[in-house]
């Protein structure tokens, strides 16, 4: 074999290898096109999700009518509440609100309320008032709904008399829970639930801010209606007791209210805890407090909307 023939045999595999790496014209094989980046999803973007709003209503006996004014303003300005927690007087308003009553309906109830209808004297005993009349009033006005049957998630705070712990009732008889939450020691008799005795929730949280957080609130509106201590308290036993509660509430609230996003303090000067004659003034004070903080509240909601 000639050297030329041998050289051809050696070069043939190299030529075939080179040809195999180049696509042939007219064949189905073609250079792979670069993959474009993922296109943005088509269609409208999901609407921003507002935070879950919790309303924490504090204790203050007859001053609790101010809570109704706050709720009215929230409703009128389209600010929806997702859950509500209440202490003492706040638990009564919270129960009515959670049952489906709006601000106007609650004002009508407040203006028509007979103080005697929620007072059942029990002297002598462990308290001046039994509290069953209050429980019955709550049951009647909420359609006998249990706590878990309410239109809004409802939490009612009371204090375990045995160990001083706060207990947030999320189920069970609404009237009994409100009665327990409102059982000011020495004024109302303690309330027995499940073998334990309970008294006023204000002993552990005058405004249940932490409890509203526990229920899932991402933004908490706290309404503080507590009475400030008197400069010169009178000497009778009842006023001394109320003065003690006022001092204690102020101390606890200084810590509790730090956890709230917005704190509303209706101006209730001159309206005492036992003053049921100032219902309209209290409701108006609640309205004014809510209106004053409405811009701040909207800012807080916008900041937490995602």
């Amino acid at each position: 074999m000639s050297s030329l023939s041998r050289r051809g045999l050696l070069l043939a595999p190299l030529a075939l290898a080179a040809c195999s790496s180049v696509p042939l014209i007219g064949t189905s094989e073609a250079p792979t096109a670069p993959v474009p980046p993922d296109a943005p999803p088509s269609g409208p973007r999901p609407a921003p999700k507002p935070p879950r709003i919790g309303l924490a209503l504090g204790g203050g006996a007859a001053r609790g009518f101010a809570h109704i004014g706050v709720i009215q303003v929230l409703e009128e300005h389209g600010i929806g509440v997702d859950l509500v927690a209440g202490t003492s007087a706040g638990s009564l308003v919270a129960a009515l609100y959670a049952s489906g009553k709006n601000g106007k309906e609650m004002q009508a109830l407040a203006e028509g309320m007979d103080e005697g209808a929620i007072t059942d004297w029990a002297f002598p005993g462990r308290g001046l008032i039994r509290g069953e009349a209050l429980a019955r009033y709550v049951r009647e006005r909420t359609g006998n709904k249990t706590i878990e049957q309410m239109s809004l998630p409802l939490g009612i705070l009371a204090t375990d008399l045995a160990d001083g712990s706060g207990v947030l009732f999320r189920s069970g008889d609404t009237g009994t829970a409100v009665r327990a939450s409102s059982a000011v020691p020495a004024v109302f008799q303690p309330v027995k639930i499940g073998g334990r005795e309970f008294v006023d929730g204000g002993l552990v949280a005058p405004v249940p801010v932490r409890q509203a957080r526990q229920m899932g609130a991402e933004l908490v509106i706290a309404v503080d209606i507590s009475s400030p201590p008197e400069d010169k308290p009178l000497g009778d036993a009842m006023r001394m007791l109320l003065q003690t509660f006022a001092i204690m509430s102020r101390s606890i609230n200084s810590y509790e209210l730090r956890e709230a996003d917005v704190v509303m303090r209706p101006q209730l000067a001159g309206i005492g805890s036992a003053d049921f004659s100032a219902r309209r003034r209290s409701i108006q004070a609640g309205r004014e407090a809510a209106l004053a903080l409405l811009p701040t509240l909207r800012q807080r909601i916008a900041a937490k909307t995602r």
Side-chain angles (χ1 to χ4, degrees), residues 158-167 198 204:
T159 302
D160 189 320
L161 188 58
D163 61 14
S165 62
V167 176
F198 295 91
V204 291

Side-chain angles (χ1 to χ4, degrees), residues 17-292:
C19 290
S20 67
S21 64
V22 180
L24 298 176
I25 297 175
T27 66
S28 60
E29 296 184 13
T32 304
V35 179
D38 292 337
S42 60
R45 293 183 178 181
K49 183 181 178 183
R52 196 159 189 245
I53 297 176
L55 188 59
L57 303 180
R63 296 159 67 96
F65 294 111
H67 292 315
I68 297 173
V70 170
I71 290 171
Q72 288 177 346
V73 170
L74 296 179
E75 290 177 338
E76 291 164 5
H77 291 268
I79 297 176
V81 171
D82 298 290
L83 60 92
V84 59
T87 291
S88 197
S91 73
L92 170 57
V93 177
L96 294 173
Y97 184 42
S99 73
K101 287 185 167 47
N102 60 34
K104 288 184 178 180
E105 291 171 329
M106 285 191 287
Q107 180 166 357
L109 276 179
E111 293 177 352
M113 179 184 288
D114 177 9
E115 187 181 349
I118 59 173
T119 306
D120 46 357
W121 300 100
F123 186 81
R126 299 173 69 190
L128 300 176
I129 300 174
R130 289 182 60 234
E132 182 52 40
L134 172 61
R136 184 168 55 250
Y137 177 88
V138 172
R139 293 186 195 109
E140 291 172 353
R141 297 306 184 275
T142 59
N144 287 308
K145 293 179 181 178
T146 60
I147 296 174
E148 63 270 30
Q149 291 174 333
M150 294 295 178
S151 302
L152 279 178
L154 171 65
I156 296 175
L157 180 66
T159 302
D160 189 320
L161 188 58
D163 61 14
S165 62
V167 176
L168 187 68
F169 289 102
R170 299 292 314 279
S171 63
D173 182 75
T174 307
T176 302
V178 170
R179 176 186 174 190
S181 181
S182 306
V184 178
V187 178
F188 282 82
Q189 293 181 348
V191 179
K192 185 171 287 188
I193 301 174
R196 303 185 72 82
E197 289 188 313
F198 295 91
V199 291
D200 196 316
L203 294 172
V204 291
V207 185
V209 175
R210 285 178 293 112
Q211 287 72 23
R213 295 275 186 209
Q214 291 169 11
M215 292 172 65
E218 297 167 321
L219 184 149
V220 176
I221 304 168
V223 187
D224 177 19
I225 58 167
S226 58
S227 301
E230 296 181 20
D231 291 335
K232 297 179 181 179
L234 299 178
D236 65 88
M238 183 59 66
R239 285 189 176 272
M240 289 297 292
L241 179 63
L242 293 175
Q243 177 78 349
T244 302
F245 268 87
I247 294 170
M248 180 192 66
S249 294
R250 172 171 287 188
S251 177
I252 297 173
N253 271 344
S254 65
Y255 295 99
E256 187 76 21
L257 294 176
R258 293 176 186 175
E259 301 297 321
D261 295 278
V262 177
V263 180
M264 298 181 180
R265 292 185 174 91
Q267 297 302 306
L268 297 167
I271 301 177
S273 299
D275 189 356
F276 280 81
S277 65
R279 302 171 199 188
R280 289 190 178 183
R281 283 175 56 201
S282 296
I283 292 172
Q284 183 59 30
R287 290 185 59 87
E288 292 170 359
L291 286 168

